[in-house]
Amino acid sequence: MSTTCEFEKLKDSTKELLQLVSTATLHTALFKKGFRNTYIQGVSRINNAKLKMVGQAFTLRYIPAREDVDTVAAFRDPQHPQRVAVETVPAGMILVNDCRQDASAASAGSILLTRLQYRQCAGFVSDAGIRDSDDAADMALPIFCAKPSAPTNLTKHHGVDIQVPIGCGGVAVNPGDVLVGDGDGVIVIPLEIVDEIANEAIAMERFESYVLTKVGSGSRVIGLYPPNEEALEEYNKLSQ
């Protein structure tokens, strides 16, 4: 069970760009590069506020629980992977939970989420549920999960590994991968291409802002999105 972070850190300049673009745009930018499976399925933001999440993945993997080992006493173990993950995730990183898309039990509750918030974690992502969802919804920590779920994680989830490749919502997540979350959900970006994707997404959003202005003024979509030569020429002149 490793808790080390042996990968490059996300550049501040790239993080600033990612704060400005939507997950929808990022998905399209990744799709254009041949990456099809980057959207974590079945997970949505539960916060009442429209919080944006950007950070690198700190992973936690679960396997199915078993009654002889997953008792309430299991949490007394100071090396319990869930507790260790909460206490070792570095500030600015996102705790990403692989719960095999089983939301019939929680993967955290308000106490652990509050601890993550205090430790300046950049977000919490799980393809399972969370407990205490009413309180969690008011937190400043971005929280993305499958749904509210009252049962403790011990009933279904047995923590085994930290900082290993996982699957979350059907998407591969490696330690250090970049996650971006908004009202549409969560996108996973391989660290190796994140600078390229961020710049591509910014360019796409600038063009789409032009398109929205035109459409809002009555322009037809055909020939505008995607653009024909006339639309591109007009856009390039306006962009100068």
Side-chain angles (χ1 to χ4, degrees), residues 143-225:
I143 301 168
F144 292 79
C145 67
K147 67 180 184 71
S149 192
T152 176
N153 73 333
L154 293 170
T155 61
K156 288 296 182 73
H157 308 305
H158 177 81
V160 287
D161 283 320
I162 296 172
Q163 284 298 75
V164 296
I166 62 171
C168 184
V171 177
V173 182
N174 291 312
D177 278 349
V178 178
L179 275 68
V180 180
D182 61 16
D184 284 345
V186 181
I187 291 289
V188 180
I189 308 171
L191 180 60
E192 295 78 11
I193 62 170
V194 68
D195 296 341
E196 178 184 3
I197 292 298
N199 283 290
E200 171 75 9
I202 283 290
M204 290 172 60
E205 293 228 338
R206 287 171 179 164
F207 176 73
E208 289 184 3
S209 178
Y210 155 78
V211 170
L212 281 169
T213 299
K214 296 284 289 185
V215 171
S217 299
S219 294
R220 299 172 70 235
V221 172
I222 297 173
L224 180 64
Y225 190 71

Side-chain angles (χ1 to χ4, degrees), residues 62 90 150:
Y62 291 92

Side-chain angles (χ1 to χ4, degrees), residues 65-217:
R66 203 173 72 183
E67 287 76 5
D68 59 333
V69 292
D70 291 295
T71 66
V72 173
F75 284 146
R76 295 185 179 277
D77 181 1
Q79 296 303 311
H80 189 281
Q82 183 200 50
R83 269 34 180 187
V84 173
V86 167
E87 295 295 342
T88 58
V89 55
M93 294 191 71
I94 297 166
L95 182 57
V96 187
N97 298 255
D98 172 4
C99 296
R100 312 167 317 286
Q101 296 179 278
D102 184 351
S104 60
S107 49
S110 61
I111 292 175
L112 296 187
L113 294 169
T114 299
R115 179 60 177 162
L116 290 173
Q117 178 173 275
Y118 179 84
R119 298 192 66 249
Q120 300 180 10
C121 183
F124 179 88
V125 178
S126 172
D127 57 7
I130 66 159
R131 308 172 86 181
D132 314 311
S133 61
D134 285 343
D135 292 332
D138 291 326
M139 293 178 65
L141 173 76
I143 301 168
F144 292 79
C145 67
K147 67 180 184 71
S149 192
T152 176
N153 73 333
L154 293 170
T155 61
K156 288 296 182 73
H157 308 305
H158 177 81
V160 287
D161 283 320
I162 296 172
Q163 284 298 75
V164 296
I166 62 171
C168 184
V171 177
V173 182
N174 291 312
D177 278 349
V178 178
L179 275 68
V180 180
D182 61 16
D184 284 345
V186 181
I187 291 289
V188 180
I189 308 171
L191 180 60
E192 295 78 11
I193 62 170
V194 68
D195 296 341
E196 178 184 3
I197 292 298
N199 283 290
E200 171 75 9
I202 283 290
M204 290 172 60
E205 293 228 338
R206 287 171 179 164
F207 176 73
E208 289 184 3
S209 178
Y210 155 78
V211 170
L212 281 169
T213 299
K214 296 284 289 185
V215 171
S217 299

